[in-house]
Structure formats: structure tokens, C-alpha cells
Amino acid sequence: MSQFDVVVIGAGPGGYVAAIRAAQLGFKTACIDAGVNKAGDAPALGGTCLNVGCIPSKALLQSSEHFHAAQHDFAEHGISAGSLHFDAAKMIERKDAIVTKLTGGIKFLFQKNKVENFFGFGSFKGKNGDFWQIDIDNKGEKSTIEAKHVIVATGSVPRPLPLVEVDNVNVLDNEGALNLTEVPAKLGVIGSGVIGLEMGSVWKRLGAEVTILEAAPTFLAAADQQIAKEAFKYFTKEQGLNIELGVKIESISKEKKGVRVQYELNGAKKDETFDKLIVAIGRIPNTQKLNAEAVGLAKDERGFIAVNELCQTNLPNVWAIGDVVRGPMLAHKASDEGVAVAERIAGQKPHLDFGTIPWVIYTDPEIAWVGKTEEQLKAEGVDYKKGTSGFGANGRALGLGKAKGTVKVLADAKTDRILGVHMIGPMVSELIAEAVVAMEFKASSEDIARIVHAHPTLSEVVHEAALAADKRALHG
């Protein structure tokens, strides 16, 4: 029976990074993963993120943005595109090629770092002295390996909607939404979170009539509400997404010509039939096949594996990271936890601050934030100051034809330490990194205000917002 220092269950952004870092630190490391490619005929590393999540969705977003720009924006630049034709199947083919390249890249990294990869579902069998026994089920072919340390990184799965079963034909989850080869005339989306907004945006740009049904009364409740309200205006009034808030779904039925959704909105009964329906109501931890109960691996009241601040479970030398534990369900959070756990096993003392983890929604305009929202600061009674600046007068944004959006800096009223930065606008997924670095180094708004920002760049809006926090904005 093969024995390892570290065995990682799951090869998503948390698991494969944890395995690589453990191997770099000199541990004999293995990673178990059951992911398969789109055709279902070969293993595919990378988890949800690389296969049916972060990466393919960004590929589709970019393709749809190009098509929309050719239709609506090129003429302003003096470019006549003539008659446009859109090939959805070709767009999906490009997306699939990107996924294949990246998942193959993880296999190469495993080989380079001497990480042994096992295909199949990993589950706890028991303990043999100081070693945990892990069963591997490869389509019925079973084997067992042993590990001194186990890192559980099994990720999450879409939260099911009790009213209807996802078949990925007409009722779609994130995977089905990424593989449509024709543009639906009418697309319904249940949930206005990241997946709902991004997939709704893709198919709206390509010609679908999109209705998003959200149970919560507040749009993007986790985001700063000044930014959320600005986003809602862009998405609804300018882009034509029909976003309904405070919706109570009463029934969903699969019909011959689509999916019928009956719901209540502001006391009124509504009845809509969609060609396709995307269910995007969040995700839940993926623990079903771990056999956790057999070894007493503890979970919390929401089904997440219970861990402390170091990602240690209740079992000795068993760790858990990423979507399967508390905290934001973000790929970069999982990766950083994976690195931290590998280093803790090596006796190091890394630190991961949940307060400086950035959030991004890749709509157009993009939305990004880090730290506290203004609503949180008010609720906590924190004395703060704020500065805002818009992209409307930014030379680079105007040149790009993307001069919509705002940057908002929140700082402590007494110490000037930055407490949160919130953005909506072009490429804010990249701009947010400056705010993360600043907050990690406990910077003040004055620190950003006194740093020279290149001109003309989008980052000047961050600079201007920091200046505005001290009431000394130069261009606004």
C-alpha cells in the first residue's frame, strides 16, 4: 500500500495548489480527483473553476462582449462591420479549448513537482497507526493509499431548487448555461448572484430576452449599496436585463415548448414561460462521498466541514480548505488556504486575512470590492470618511469607450487607515489589486493619494477617490 506525507482530496483551485505547495516543501504528495472532461471520457483536473466555472464563463463573457461591441460600439470609432453573424457553437468550441489547455497545464505541473495523481473519488476508510487510510473509487475499481496528513478540498456543488430538477436540457445549472449552442429567445434566470448576472449578461448580449428572478429584496446585498444601485441602473435601464427583486417562486414545470415559472411579485401573480431556465441560487459544500461519518469528521449546522482559523478539522492531521469550509466561496481564497495549510504542515506560520480577500463580478461594467461596505461600517458604529471618483472624466476610460462607473474609498475618520474600497467600471477586476495591497500593508487613504499613478490610466480614478477622501480631489 502506497504511503504519502500529504494526500489532497480534490484538484480544484484549492486542492491542486495545496498539493503543489506541499511537494515544493519536500513532502511526498498525492492528489485524488474524480473530475472528467466535457465528453466524459478522460480525467480533467481543475475542479469546478477551470472546467465549468470561473474560466469558461470568462471566455464566454469576452466573446459576447466582442459581438456586442461590433454591433453597437464600432461605429463610434469609424469602423463599419457590415452584416454580422454569430456562431454560438464556435464560441463554445473556443471556450472548451481554453479549458482543455488549462486543465492539461495542471497535469504538467503535477508531473513537474512530482505530485502523484490518482483518478477517482477519495473517501475516508479509517486509520492505521499514524496514517489515515483513503479509499479511491475509480468507476468501481477500488484501491487504498495512506497519508500522514489529509487535506480535504472537495469544493462545492450547485444548490438544488426543490421545485424542479436540473436536466441541463431546458433547466440548466452553471454547467448547462456554459454549453448552450443556440441563443434562447427567452431566458429565465433564478438568482441574481455572480453566476446569474454573468450568464444573464452573456446571453443578453447575444440576443436573448433575459429575466432574472431574485428572492431577496435587495440587489447584490453583499456589495456596497452605492455601487450595487449604480450597477442595477446599468444592467436594467441601459442593458435591458429584466431583474425582479423580492420574487416568491410558486411552481416550475417543464412544458413541451420550454419551462413555465409561476411566481408572486409585490402581491401580484406572474406566469412566464422561458425557452431555457438557469438555476443559480448559490452553492453548497460537496461532502457526499467523503464517508466523513465513518471517521467522525465534524460538520457545522450548514453542512460545511468544521475547521478552526488554521483550517484544522476535529481530526488530527486532517485539514479542509476552500468551498467545503466557512468563508467566501472564491477560487483565490481556496488557493491561498491551500498554500497556507501546506506551509503549516511544514511548521511555518502563514497568515490569511479574510478581510482583504477581493470579490469580483465580471459583468460590463465589472464590479469589485475589498474590505468593509459603508453599510457595515454604519452598523458597527465606525467613524469613517469616504471619497468617490467616477470614470466619466478619465481620459483612458473615454478612449476605451468605457467611461461608466465609480471608485469609492472608505477610511477611518481618525487614523485614515483604509477600511474598504468598492468599484464599478472598466477592468476593476485588475484595479482592485491596488486596494488589496494597500489594505494588507495597513495603508491610509493618503498613502494612495501620494503615490504617483501613470497618466492616462484607469488607476487614476483610484488615486482621485483617495484624494477625495481627504476632500482634496483634483479632477472632480
Side-chain angles (χ1 to χ4, degrees), residues 7-12 19 30-35 45 110 115-123 134-137 145 150 153-154:
V7 167
V8 182
I9 304 177
C31 185
I32 306 167
D33 189 76
L45 301 169
F110 276 179
V115 174
E116 193 163 344
N117 180 218
F118 294 92
F119 176 71
F121 289 96
S123 63
I134 306 297
D135 279 341
I136 303 170
D137 186 347
I145 60 177
V150 179
T154 47

mmCIF file of all heavy atoms in Angstrom, residues 7-12 19 30-35 45 110 115-123 134-137 145 150 153-154:
data_model
loop_
_atom_site.group_PDB
_atom_site.id
_atom_site.type_symbol
_atom_site.label_atom_id
_atom_site.label_comp_id
_atom_site.label_asym_id
_atom_site.label_seq_id
_atom_site.Cartn_x
_atom_site.Cartn_y
_atom_site.Cartn_z
ATOM 1 N N VAL A 7 -1.880 13.763 1.422
ATOM 2 C CA VAL A 7 -2.827 13.400 0.360
ATOM 3 C C VAL A 7 -3.913 14.471 0.317
ATOM 4 O O VAL A 7 -4.514 14.806 1.342
ATOM 5 C CB VAL A 7 -3.461 12.020 0.592
ATOM 6 C CG1 VAL A 7 -4.655 11.816 -0.345
ATOM 7 C CG2 VAL A 7 -2.439 10.919 0.357
ATOM 8 N N VAL A 8 -4.132 15.014 -0.861
ATOM 9 C CA VAL A 8 -5.159 16.032 -1.066
ATOM 10 C C VAL A 8 -6.322 15.381 -1.802
ATOM 11 O O VAL A 8 -6.126 14.717 -2.827
ATOM 12 C CB VAL A 8 -4.619 17.221 -1.889
ATOM 13 C CG1 VAL A 8 -5.696 18.291 -2.035
ATOM 14 C CG2 VAL A 8 -3.365 17.796 -1.246
ATOM 15 N N ILE A 9 -7.548 15.560 -1.277
ATOM 16 C CA ILE A 9 -8.743 15.053 -1.952
ATOM 17 C C ILE A 9 -9.405 16.226 -2.663
ATOM 18 O O ILE A 9 -9.966 17.115 -2.045
ATOM 19 C CB ILE A 9 -9.718 14.409 -0.951
ATOM 20 C CG1 ILE A 9 -9.021 13.307 -0.149
ATOM 21 C CG2 ILE A 9 -10.923 13.828 -1.696
ATOM 22 C CD1 ILE A 9 -9.903 12.670 0.916
ATOM 23 N N GLY A 10 -9.315 16.222 -3.989
ATOM 24 C CA GLY A 10 -9.855 17.308 -4.791
ATOM 25 C C GLY A 10 -8.763 18.091 -5.478
ATOM 26 O O GLY A 10 -7.777 18.481 -4.848
ATOM 27 N N ALA A 11 -8.923 18.339 -6.786
ATOM 28 C CA ALA A 11 -7.896 19.057 -7.550
ATOM 29 C C ALA A 11 -8.448 20.327 -8.169
ATOM 30 O O ALA A 11 -8.117 20.694 -9.295
ATOM 31 C CB ALA A 11 -7.313 18.157 -8.642
ATOM 32 N N GLY A 12 -9.296 21.031 -7.411
ATOM 33 C CA GLY A 12 -9.733 22.362 -7.830
ATOM 34 C C GLY A 12 -8.678 23.387 -7.472
ATOM 35 O O GLY A 12 -7.536 23.033 -7.129
ATOM 36 N N ALA A 19 -1.492 20.728 -3.162
ATOM 37 C CA ALA A 19 -0.632 19.593 -3.492
ATOM 38 C C ALA A 19 0.718 20.056 -4.027
ATOM 39 O O ALA A 19 1.779 19.536 -3.634
ATOM 40 C CB ALA A 19 -1.330 18.694 -4.507
ATOM 41 N N ALA A 30 0.288 13.246 -2.846
ATOM 42 C CA ALA A 30 -0.634 12.709 -3.846
ATOM 43 C C ALA A 30 -1.897 13.556 -3.864
ATOM 44 O O ALA A 30 -2.268 14.177 -2.863
ATOM 45 C CB ALA A 30 -0.983 11.258 -3.545
ATOM 46 N N CYS A 31 -2.565 13.567 -5.008
ATOM 47 C CA CYS A 31 -3.832 14.285 -5.142
ATOM 48 C C CYS A 31 -4.843 13.371 -5.822
ATOM 49 O O CYS A 31 -4.544 12.766 -6.859
ATOM 50 C CB CYS A 31 -3.646 15.563 -5.961
ATOM 51 S SG CYS A 31 -5.123 16.597 -6.050
ATOM 52 N N ILE A 32 -6.014 13.252 -5.210
ATOM 53 C CA ILE A 32 -7.087 12.402 -5.735
ATOM 54 C C ILE A 32 -8.178 13.300 -6.302
ATOM 55 O O ILE A 32 -8.621 14.238 -5.641
ATOM 56 C CB ILE A 32 -7.688 11.525 -4.619
ATOM 57 C CG1 ILE A 32 -6.594 10.730 -3.898
ATOM 58 C CG2 ILE A 32 -8.749 10.591 -5.174
ATOM 59 C CD1 ILE A 32 -7.070 10.094 -2.603
ATOM 60 N N ASP A 33 -8.625 12.999 -7.522
ATOM 61 C CA ASP A 33 -9.667 13.825 -8.129
ATOM 62 C C ASP A 33 -10.497 13.000 -9.092
ATOM 63 O O ASP A 33 -9.960 12.150 -9.805
ATOM 64 C CB ASP A 33 -9.049 15.014 -8.870
ATOM 65 C CG ASP A 33 -10.103 16.009 -9.328
ATOM 66 O OD1 ASP A 33 -10.601 16.767 -8.479
ATOM 67 O OD2 ASP A 33 -10.426 16.016 -10.531
ATOM 68 N N ALA A 34 -11.804 13.257 -9.098
ATOM 69 C CA ALA A 34 -12.722 12.484 -9.944
ATOM 70 C C ALA A 34 -13.246 13.282 -11.130
ATOM 71 O O ALA A 34 -14.154 12.823 -11.837
ATOM 72 C CB ALA A 34 -13.899 11.977 -9.107
ATOM 73 N N GLY A 35 -12.695 14.460 -11.380
ATOM 74 C CA GLY A 35 -13.188 15.294 -12.469
ATOM 75 C C GLY A 35 -12.959 14.679 -13.832
ATOM 76 O O GLY A 35 -11.921 14.056 -14.075
ATOM 77 N N LEU A 45 -8.429 17.722 -14.505
ATOM 78 C CA LEU A 45 -8.117 18.381 -13.239
ATOM 79 C C LEU A 45 -8.633 19.818 -13.260
ATOM 80 O O LEU A 45 -8.998 20.343 -14.299
ATOM 81 C CB LEU A 45 -6.602 18.359 -13.012
ATOM 82 C CG LEU A 45 -5.956 16.967 -12.968
ATOM 83 C CD1 LEU A 45 -4.436 17.075 -12.999
ATOM 84 C CD2 LEU A 45 -6.411 16.197 -11.737
ATOM 85 N N PHE A 110 1.724 18.953 -11.971
ATOM 86 C CA PHE A 110 1.849 17.799 -11.065
ATOM 87 C C PHE A 110 3.101 16.988 -11.400
ATOM 88 O O PHE A 110 3.857 16.579 -10.523
ATOM 89 C CB PHE A 110 0.600 16.923 -11.157
ATOM 90 C CG PHE A 110 -0.542 17.370 -10.289
ATOM 91 C CD1 PHE A 110 -1.745 16.675 -10.300
ATOM 92 C CD2 PHE A 110 -0.439 18.471 -9.442
ATOM 93 C CE1 PHE A 110 -2.809 17.065 -9.496
ATOM 94 C CE2 PHE A 110 -1.500 18.874 -8.645
ATOM 95 C CZ PHE A 110 -2.684 18.165 -8.665
ATOM 96 N N VAL A 115 4.037 15.430 -7.958
ATOM 97 C CA VAL A 115 2.783 15.119 -7.262
ATOM 98 C C VAL A 115 2.158 13.918 -7.967
ATOM 99 O O VAL A 115 1.931 13.943 -9.171
ATOM 100 C CB VAL A 115 1.803 16.305 -7.301
ATOM 101 C CG1 VAL A 115 0.452 15.901 -6.688
ATOM 102 C CG2 VAL A 115 2.368 17.501 -6.571
ATOM 103 N N GLU A 116 1.885 12.844 -7.212
ATOM 104 C CA GLU A 116 1.258 11.666 -7.799
ATOM 105 C C GLU A 116 -0.247 11.888 -7.865
ATOM 106 O O GLU A 116 -0.869 12.260 -6.865
ATOM 107 C CB GLU A 116 1.583 10.413 -6.984
ATOM 108 C CG GLU A 116 1.229 9.138 -7.726
ATOM 109 C CD GLU A 116 1.890 7.896 -7.147
ATOM 110 O OE1 GLU A 116 2.850 8.048 -6.373
ATOM 111 O OE2 GLU A 116 1.438 6.790 -7.473
ATOM 112 N N ASN A 117 -0.820 11.654 -9.031
ATOM 113 C CA ASN A 117 -2.237 11.926 -9.246
ATOM 114 C C ASN A 117 -3.024 10.630 -9.375
ATOM 115 O O ASN A 117 -2.672 9.756 -10.162
ATOM 116 C CB ASN A 117 -2.401 12.784 -10.507
ATOM 117 C CG ASN A 117 -3.840 13.131 -10.815
ATOM 118 O OD1 ASN A 117 -4.227 13.160 -11.961
ATOM 119 N ND2 ASN A 117 -4.648 13.377 -9.803
ATOM 120 N N PHE A 118 -4.090 10.502 -8.588
ATOM 121 C CA PHE A 118 -4.979 9.350 -8.661
ATOM 122 C C PHE A 118 -6.346 9.808 -9.139
ATOM 123 O O PHE A 118 -6.890 10.787 -8.630
ATOM 124 C CB PHE A 118 -5.122 8.678 -7.289
ATOM 125 C CG PHE A 118 -3.863 8.046 -6.777
ATOM 126 C CD1 PHE A 118 -2.988 8.757 -5.972
ATOM 127 C CD2 PHE A 118 -3.547 6.734 -7.093
ATOM 128 C CE1 PHE A 118 -1.830 8.181 -5.490
ATOM 129 C CE2 PHE A 118 -2.383 6.143 -6.614
ATOM 130 C CZ PHE A 118 -1.522 6.865 -5.821
ATOM 131 N N PHE A 119 -6.916 9.066 -10.096
ATOM 132 C CA PHE A 119 -8.237 9.406 -10.590
ATOM 133 C C PHE A 119 -9.298 8.606 -9.854
ATOM 134 O O PHE A 119 -9.177 7.393 -9.680
ATOM 135 C CB PHE A 119 -8.348 9.129 -12.092
ATOM 136 C CG PHE A 119 -9.726 9.364 -12.633
ATOM 137 C CD1 PHE A 119 -10.223 10.647 -12.759
ATOM 138 C CD2 PHE A 119 -10.539 8.295 -13.000
ATOM 139 C CE1 PHE A 119 -11.508 10.875 -13.240
ATOM 140 C CE2 PHE A 119 -11.824 8.509 -13.478
ATOM 141 C CZ PHE A 119 -12.305 9.805 -13.601
ATOM 142 N N GLY A 120 -10.349 9.290 -9.407
ATOM 143 C CA GLY A 120 -11.444 8.624 -8.716
ATOM 144 C C GLY A 120 -11.928 9.449 -7.542
ATOM 145 O O GLY A 120 -11.424 10.545 -7.274
ATOM 146 N N PHE A 121 -12.919 8.919 -6.838
ATOM 147 C CA PHE A 121 -13.447 9.579 -5.644
ATOM 148 C C PHE A 121 -12.660 9.117 -4.425
ATOM 149 O O PHE A 121 -12.526 7.914 -4.187
ATOM 150 C CB PHE A 121 -14.933 9.267 -5.465
ATOM 151 C CG PHE A 121 -15.826 9.935 -6.464
ATOM 152 C CD1 PHE A 121 -16.244 9.270 -7.609
ATOM 153 C CD2 PHE A 121 -16.241 11.250 -6.267
ATOM 154 C CE1 PHE A 121 -17.056 9.889 -8.535
ATOM 155 C CE2 PHE A 121 -17.059 11.885 -7.193
ATOM 156 C CZ PHE A 121 -17.456 11.208 -8.332
ATOM 157 N N GLY A 122 -12.154 10.068 -3.659
ATOM 158 C CA GLY A 122 -11.425 9.750 -2.442
ATOM 159 C C GLY A 122 -12.348 9.803 -1.240
ATOM 160 O O GLY A 122 -13.164 10.724 -1.119
ATOM 161 N N SER A 123 -12.238 8.825 -0.348
ATOM 162 C CA SER A 123 -13.061 8.808 0.864
ATOM 163 C C SER A 123 -12.281 8.212 2.025
ATOM 164 O O SER A 123 -11.348 7.419 1.830
ATOM 165 C CB SER A 123 -14.350 8.015 0.630
ATOM 166 O OG SER A 123 -14.047 6.662 0.334
ATOM 167 N N ILE A 134 -7.146 6.132 2.915
ATOM 168 C CA ILE A 134 -8.041 6.793 1.970
ATOM 169 C C ILE A 134 -8.360 5.830 0.837
ATOM 170 O O ILE A 134 -7.465 5.359 0.126
ATOM 171 C CB ILE A 134 -7.402 8.075 1.387
ATOM 172 C CG1 ILE A 134 -6.930 9.010 2.507
ATOM 173 C CG2 ILE A 134 -8.380 8.783 0.462
ATOM 174 C CD1 ILE A 134 -8.030 9.533 3.389
ATOM 175 N N ASP A 135 -9.650 5.520 0.683
ATOM 176 C CA ASP A 135 -10.087 4.681 -0.434
ATOM 177 C C ASP A 135 -10.229 5.525 -1.696
ATOM 178 O O ASP A 135 -10.656 6.688 -1.639
ATOM 179 C CB ASP A 135 -11.438 4.042 -0.124
ATOM 180 C CG ASP A 135 -11.306 2.806 0.756
ATOM 181 O OD1 ASP A 135 -10.197 2.249 0.827
ATOM 182 O OD2 ASP A 135 -12.323 2.406 1.362
ATOM 183 N N ILE A 136 -9.901 4.939 -2.834
ATOM 184 C CA ILE A 136 -10.083 5.585 -4.137
ATOM 185 C C ILE A 136 -10.981 4.702 -4.978
ATOM 186 O O ILE A 136 -10.685 3.524 -5.207
ATOM 187 C CB ILE A 136 -8.732 5.795 -4.847
ATOM 188 C CG1 ILE A 136 -7.777 6.612 -3.969
ATOM 189 C CG2 ILE A 136 -8.946 6.491 -6.197
ATOM 190 C CD1 ILE A 136 -6.357 6.648 -4.482
ATOM 191 N N ASP A 137 -12.088 5.275 -5.433
ATOM 192 C CA ASP A 137 -13.049 4.548 -6.263
ATOM 193 C C ASP A 137 -12.997 5.106 -7.677
ATOM 194 O O ASP A 137 -13.512 6.188 -7.960
ATOM 195 C CB ASP A 137 -14.456 4.697 -5.682
ATOM 196 C CG ASP A 137 -15.489 3.845 -6.426
ATOM 197 O OD1 ASP A 137 -15.171 3.346 -7.519
ATOM 198 O OD2 ASP A 137 -16.614 3.703 -5.909
ATOM 199 N N ILE A 145 -4.798 4.115 -0.339
ATOM 200 C CA ILE A 145 -3.498 4.685 -0.035
ATOM 201 C C ILE A 145 -3.533 5.228 1.389
ATOM 202 O O ILE A 145 -4.602 5.368 1.993
ATOM 203 C CB ILE A 145 -3.090 5.798 -1.023
ATOM 204 C CG1 ILE A 145 -4.097 6.950 -0.991
ATOM 205 C CG2 ILE A 145 -2.946 5.236 -2.440
ATOM 206 C CD1 ILE A 145 -3.716 8.122 -1.889
ATOM 207 N N VAL A 150 -4.065 14.679 5.642
ATOM 208 C CA VAL A 150 -5.072 14.713 4.584
ATOM 209 C C VAL A 150 -5.618 16.135 4.489
ATOM 210 O O VAL A 150 -5.968 16.751 5.504
ATOM 211 C CB VAL A 150 -6.232 13.738 4.870
ATOM 212 C CG1 VAL A 150 -7.280 13.822 3.755
ATOM 213 C CG2 VAL A 150 -5.718 12.312 5.002
ATOM 214 N N ALA A 153 -10.353 19.048 -0.051
ATOM 215 C CA ALA A 153 -10.589 20.209 -0.923
ATOM 216 C C ALA A 153 -11.603 19.822 -1.995
ATOM 217 O O ALA A 153 -11.370 19.999 -3.191
ATOM 218 C CB ALA A 153 -9.271 20.658 -1.555
ATOM 219 N N THR A 154 -12.739 19.308 -1.545
ATOM 220 C CA THR A 154 -13.730 18.754 -2.475
ATOM 221 C C THR A 154 -14.700 19.789 -3.034
ATOM 222 O O THR A 154 -15.590 19.467 -3.810
ATOM 223 C CB THR A 154 -14.524 17.623 -1.789
ATOM 224 O OG1 THR A 154 -14.943 18.057 -0.490
ATOM 225 C CG2 THR A 154 -13.658 16.381 -1.643
#
